[in-house]
Amino acid sequence: LLTTQLPNLEELNLGNNQLVEFHELFCSFQKLRTLRVNSNLIRELPPLTGFPELLELDISGNLIQSIPNEIFQMTRLIELRI
């Protein structure tokens, strides 16, 4: 599994890849500090509870119509791009 091969991954940039879903696998990277999934075709986000270290989240340029409440409970999040 990718998460066991990259347990210390801190930054993941999947912007501009025509992704249609935000896979829950992304939530398994416990040390992730920056996650960019901008400019894709994502319509819905899962509960984002698996990112205790996340500082920056970019979900802009997608087809998302509602933001999960969990995003606003991320105490370390400094930058949120919608």
Side-chain angles (χ1 to χ4, degrees):
L1 202 72
L2 187 59
T3 54
T4 57
Q5 294 174 352
L6 300 168
N8 295 316
L9 186 69
E10 291 186 7
E11 184 171 342
L12 182 59
N13 185 347
L14 296 170
N16 297 298
N17 278 292
Q18 298 184 351
L19 298 176
V20 295
E21 70 176 335
F22 186 102
H23 198 280
E24 291 187 27
L25 171 66
F26 303 152
C27 297
S28 301
F29 293 107
Q30 295 291 307
K31 295 191 178 181
L32 208 60
R33 301 177 122 227
T34 301
L35 176 59
R36 293 185 183 99
V37 291
N38 58 297
S39 303
N40 282 294
L41 303 170
I42 299 169
R43 293 184 178 275
E44 187 177 340
L45 293 174
L48 299 173
T49 56
F51 299 111
E53 302 296 320
L54 197 65
L55 301 174
E56 179 183 340
L57 176 61
D58 187 351
I59 56 173
S60 64
N62 282 287
L63 304 172
I64 299 167
Q65 300 207 358
S66 65
I67 307 298
N69 288 331
E70 291 86 1
I71 286 181
F72 303 108
Q73 297 169 357
M74 298 172 114
T75 57
R76 296 187 50 111
L77 194 64
I78 295 171
E79 187 170 339
L80 173 61
R81 295 186 192 137
I82 300 176

